[in-house]
């Protein structure tokens, strides 16, 4: 692609907000455009502060660090970060044998085992009695179980994709100092007024310290308050509350054990789910719940009981979440990134994915079409589709759950508010067809790979009852599970414990 340098060269871009979204954006823009004379300024209010949560990522964050040239030893120790190979879902299903499953990040080892899993799920969906739980088929599940990190020993040529866990505040600090060192101007003040020109474009931001900060383009990273996109430009917000009932969270840290885990654990609770995120110095815990079904006090008590902290005076933090997305992420001369553009509950730790995707899409679009907005509609469509795709995958967890212990779970299980894309995927699964082929053939929009869908639906045990095997059937070509176990076991021998992989010096 040829770079259209004329339209953004020497422009000035102002970012409002210094949370993770603001500093990721600042680093990406300065890295890409500093040599085009683009000036980047970031304004953040020390009084307002950041949301201070968001400690899990997918492999997308690794691609961001790789792209801006930051190596792991440079940032991970400073952010108390650990490696993450996937997420365990515990107690979401009540089906015997499926009370827990693991959603792995992909690895090259899957090439030898995923087909066997797909084959078994295919047979099991026809009622044939084969082993069809995902965990025995994926290397990352074994690494998680053993608390191993994702980096193989030097002589073992299998790549495992991975994400990270990190302290959100420390990550913000790291990204801030890096961006400033590379030339991003930093203003610490609260924006109290937004000045617009006659055509509606944003012209300048006025701060409580009397500064006026003008720019050609503005990026709204002001968090849930969405000061530019929603408050000033009045972009409507589309709530996802009809599909996703959770709107609150309570957060409590606990001590880290000697052997640090390499997975996030998401455990279903009475009115939502609790995360457990291992960092080097502590475990981050939080309960994401629906305030329509339980009070903040009840949620805190349930979380404390789970963590053995009923008698402890460790303070809990309570947060409200606004779940949904704006109608347009890029409007006039303003782009929304982060919580200001939308949020989907953090069940699959996807918020920073959407941040990185939006920023990358913006850079690519501007380089192709300029800053004036010619590529705006395309970006809005793609980012909206990204949000809808993630929402569908999260909603699937709730639709297929088999808990019935509270109204919350019963209502989730019977919720008919399902997008056509998700409905199609569930239908394909139930009719026993190949998910991968059908997703491709029917052009079903999804950001998740077929493997992720197979793991989710197989992991929850969405299978019919076992039927007596006919004489000529798939079970005749049985996958040898002992061979799969041995293969995965031998692969896993080439990965050291997470603790050892975190020794950077
Ligand atoms: C309970 C919960 C759990 C989460 N877990 C995950 C997870 O596991 N993984 C994941 O990827 N994401 C997760 N997220 C999302 C993640 O926390 C956010 O996407 C991420 O932190 C980015 O936030 P932000 O920068 O958009 O907003 P914020 O962190 O809220 O930052 C907003 C910034 O704007 C500034 N600001 C606002 N108004 C003004 C003003 N008028 N003047 C000056 N400055 C202003 C503030 O000072 C602040 O610097 C979670 C979110 C919640 C609520």
């Amino acid at each position: 692609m040829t770079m259209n340098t004329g339209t953004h060269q020497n422009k000035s871009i102002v970012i409002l907000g210094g949370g993770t979204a603001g500093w990721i954006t600042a680093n990406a823009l300065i890295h890409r455009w500093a040599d085009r004379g683009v000036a980047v300024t970031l304004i953040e209010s020390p009084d307002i502060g950041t949301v201070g949560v968001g400690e899990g990522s997918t492999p997308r964050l690794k691609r961001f660090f790789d792209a801006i040239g930051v190596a792991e030893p440079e940032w991970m120790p400073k952010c108390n970060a650990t490696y993450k190979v996937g997420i365990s879902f515990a107690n979401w299903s009540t089906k015997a044998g499926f009370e827990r499953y693991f959603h792995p990040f992909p690895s090259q080892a899957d090439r030898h085992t995923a087909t066997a899993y797909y084959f078994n799920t295919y047979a099991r969906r026809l009622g044939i009695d084969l082993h069809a739980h995902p965990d025995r088929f994926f290397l990352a599940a074994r690494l998680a179980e053993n608390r191993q990190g994702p980096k193989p020993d030097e002589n073992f040529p299998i790549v495992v994709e991975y994400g990270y866990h990190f302290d959100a505040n420390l990550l913000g600090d790291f990204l801030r100092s890096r961006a400033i060192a590379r030339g991003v101007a930093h203003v610490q003040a609260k924006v109290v007024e937004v000045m617009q020109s006659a055509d509606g474009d944003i012209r300048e931001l006025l701060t409580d310290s009397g500064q006026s900060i003008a720019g050609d383009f503005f990026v709204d990273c002001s968090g849930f308050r969405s000061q530019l996109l929603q408050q000033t430009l009045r972009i409507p917000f589309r709530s996802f509350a009809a599909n996703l009932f959770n709107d609150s969270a309570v957060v409590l840290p606990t001590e880290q054990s000697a052997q640090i885990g390499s997975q996030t654990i998401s455990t279903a609770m009475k009115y939502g789910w609790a995360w457990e995120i291992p960092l080097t110095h502590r475990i981050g815990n939080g309960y994401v719940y629906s305030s329509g079904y339980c009070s903040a006090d009840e949620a805190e008590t349930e979380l404390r009981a789970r963590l053995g902290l009923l008698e402890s005076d460790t303070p809990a933090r309570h947060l409200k979440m606004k779940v949904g997305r704006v109608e347009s992420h890029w409007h006039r001369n303003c782009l929304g990134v982060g919580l200001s553009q939308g949020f989907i509950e953090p069940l699959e730790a996807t918020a920073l994915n959407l941040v990185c995707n939006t920023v990358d899409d913006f850079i690519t679009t501007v380089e192709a079409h300029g800053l004036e907005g010619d590529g705006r509609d395309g970006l809005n469509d793609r980012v909206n589709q990204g949000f809808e795709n993630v929402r569908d995958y999260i909603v699937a967890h709730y639709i297929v759950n088999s808990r019935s212990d509270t109204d919350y779970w019963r209502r989730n299980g019977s919720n008919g508010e399902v997008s056509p894309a998700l409905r199609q995927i569930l239908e394909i699964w139930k009719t026993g067809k190949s998910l991968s082929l059908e997703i491709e053939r029917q052009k079903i929009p999804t950001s998740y790979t077929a493997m992720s869908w197979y793991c989710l639906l197989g992991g929850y045990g969405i299978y019919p009852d076992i039927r007596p095997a006919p004489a000529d059937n798939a079970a005749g070509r049985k996958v040898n599970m002992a061979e799969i176990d041995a293969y995965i076991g031998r692969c896993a021998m080439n990965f050291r414990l997470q603790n050892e992989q975190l020794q950077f010096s």
Side-chain angles (χ1 to χ4, degrees):
M1 186 196 310
T2 52
M3 196 188 282
N4 179 350
T5 52
T7 55
H8 61 289
Q9 201 154 10
N10 302 324
K11 297 281 187 198
S12 139
I13 300 184
V14 177
I15 300 168
L16 174 60
T20 319
W23 288 115
I24 283 181
T25 306
N27 275 281
L29 297 186
I30 205 77
H31 174 78
R32 187 73 190 184
W33 288 340
D35 64 356
R36 308 276 155 192
V38 173
V40 180
T41 303
L42 185 145
I43 313 171
E44 65 175 323
S45 158
D47 299 340
I48 295 174
T50 65
V51 69
V53 281
E55 305 195 318
S57 84
T58 66
R60 185 68 181 81
L61 191 64
K62 179 174 184 327
R63 294 211 296 280
F64 163 73
F65 277 121
D66 289 347
I68 64 166
V70 174
E72 287 168 354
E74 205 184 322
W75 77 271
M76 286 184 70
K78 289 189 178 132
C79 302
N80 294 336
T82 63
Y83 292 112
K84 167 180 174 185
V85 296
I87 308 177
S88 269
F89 293 88
N91 298 345
W92 286 71
S93 168
T94 54
K95 297 192 178 158
F98 296 93
E99 296 87 351
R100 189 182 179 106
Y101 84 96
F102 183 75
H103 181 192
F105 293 141
S107 81
Q108 288 176 337
D110 303 345
R111 288 184 196 157
H112 301 281
T113 53
T115 319
Y117 174 56
Y118 298 166
F119 175 79
N120 277 16
T121 60
Y122 166 72
R124 186 64 189 75
R125 282 186 282 149
L126 299 176
I128 297 165
D129 187 12
L130 287 185
H131 186 88
H133 187 291
D135 287 9
R136 275 170 76 186
F137 294 86
F138 294 96
L139 174 59
R142 183 73 64 93
L143 299 180
E145 190 187 326
N146 295 346
R147 297 177 178 246
Q148 289 165 290
K151 308 199 105 178
D153 292 339
E154 217 170 312
N155 58 356
F156 188 67
I158 293 279
V159 174
V160 174
E161 285 198 40
Y162 57 87
Y164 307 101
H165 302 118
F166 47 83
D167 181 309
N169 293 319
L170 296 179
L171 181 65
D173 293 346
F174 173 83
L175 291 171
R176 177 191 298 116
S177 31
R178 192 174 184 283
I180 292 169
R182 269 154 190 76
V184 171
H186 184 208
V187 177
Q188 285 183 285
K190 182 174 173 184
V191 168
V192 286
E193 206 173 341
V194 181
M195 307 303 290
Q196 290 170 271
S197 49
D199 64 0
D201 273 8
I202 295 174
R203 206 179 61 220
E204 57 193 312
L205 308 181
L206 307 184
T207 72
D208 59 353
S209 53
Q211 282 170 286
S212 154
I213 297 159
D216 299 302
F217 196 91
F218 293 81
V219 187
D220 186 350
C221 296
S222 63
F224 283 127
R225 59 175 56 209
S226 194
Q227 185 148 356
L228 304 183
L229 211 54
Q230 290 180 58
Q231 286 190 44
T232 306
L233 298 176
R234 301 275 163 208
I235 299 298
F237 184 80
R238 289 213 181 148
S239 168
F240 290 162
N243 319 83
L244 295 170
F245 305 155
N246 297 337
D247 58 2
S248 309
V250 49
V251 181
L252 262 172
T254 49
E255 279 176 25
Q256 181 55 276
S257 65
Q259 288 299 336
I260 303 171
S262 53
Q263 61 178 323
T264 299
I265 300 175
S266 153
T267 306
M269 306 276 278
K270 273 158 77 177
Y271 309 104
W273 57 276
W275 76 73
E276 192 182 318
I277 289 187
L279 308 184
T280 55
H281 65 311
R282 65 166 162 81
I283 295 179
N285 306 280
Y287 180 6
V288 173
Y289 64 94
S290 168
S291 65
Y293 292 83
C294 82
S295 68
D297 278 353
E298 283 169 316
E300 183 174 333
T301 304
E302 198 188 342
L303 181 63
R304 282 189 184 278
R306 171 181 156 70
L307 301 173
L309 293 179
L310 276 174
E311 306 302 325
S312 155
D313 52 11
T314 308
R317 265 191 76 204
H318 287 266
L319 294 119
K320 293 304 280 181
M321 308 182 314
K322 191 172 162 192
V323 176
R325 62 161 175 84
V326 289
E327 273 180 14
S328 316
H329 306 264
W330 181 353
H331 183 74
R332 305 208 71 88
N333 62 341
C334 178
L335 173 78
V337 180
L339 299 174
S340 69
Q341 67 176 147
F343 178 60
I344 297 167
E345 64 172 64
L347 188 58
E348 295 276 353
T350 39
L352 296 184
N353 258 44
L354 294 164
V355 164
C356 294
N357 289 348
T358 304
V359 175
D360 272 6
D361 198 328
F362 176 67
I363 289 173
T364 312
T365 305
V366 168
E367 289 180 359
H369 302 285
L371 202 52
E372 286 72 28
D374 284 348
R376 201 159 43 196
D377 291 350
L379 177 140
N380 282 327
D381 288 347
R382 288 186 294 275
V383 175
N384 278 336
Q385 193 62 62
F387 267 85
E388 309 276 311
N389 293 351
V390 170
R391 182 206 52 201
D392 281 355
Y393 194 75
I394 305 299
V395 169
H397 284 278
Y398 290 99
I399 295 288
V400 303
N401 97 83
S402 52
R403 287 179 68 123
S404 57
D405 50 327
T406 60
D407 272 357
Y408 170 88
W409 287 108
R410 285 190 292 273
R411 248 206 79 204
N412 265 301
S414 62
N415 188 6
E417 295 282 338
V418 176
S419 76
L422 177 55
R423 202 176 291 283
Q424 272 170 294
I425 288 172
L426 297 175
E427 200 51 40
I428 293 166
W429 180 263
K430 285 186 181 147
T431 51
K433 291 183 189 152
S434 158
L435 261 187
S436 11
L437 289 179
E438 284 299 307
I439 286 175
E440 215 173 297
R441 196 181 68 79
Q442 297 187 34
K443 298 193 175 21
I444 298 173
T446 170
S447 299
Y448 282 89
T449 62
M451 183 195 85
S452 287
W453 285 105
Y454 273 100
C455 285
L456 189 155
L457 296 165
Y460 282 114
I462 309 303
Y463 296 119
D465 291 340
I466 307 270
R467 296 183 200 131
D472 173 25
N473 67 49
R477 288 175 278 138
K478 234 178 181 172
V479 166
N480 185 331
M481 287 309 296
E483 272 179 21
I484 302 262
D485 290 341
Y487 173 75
I488 297 228
R490 289 168 72 173
C491 285
M493 287 164 75
N494 296 282
F495 295 78
R496 284 167 299 132
L497 291 172
Q498 163 94 287
N499 284 35
E500 292 174 45
Q501 297 199 12
L502 293 173
Q503 305 301 318
F504 290 104
S505 47

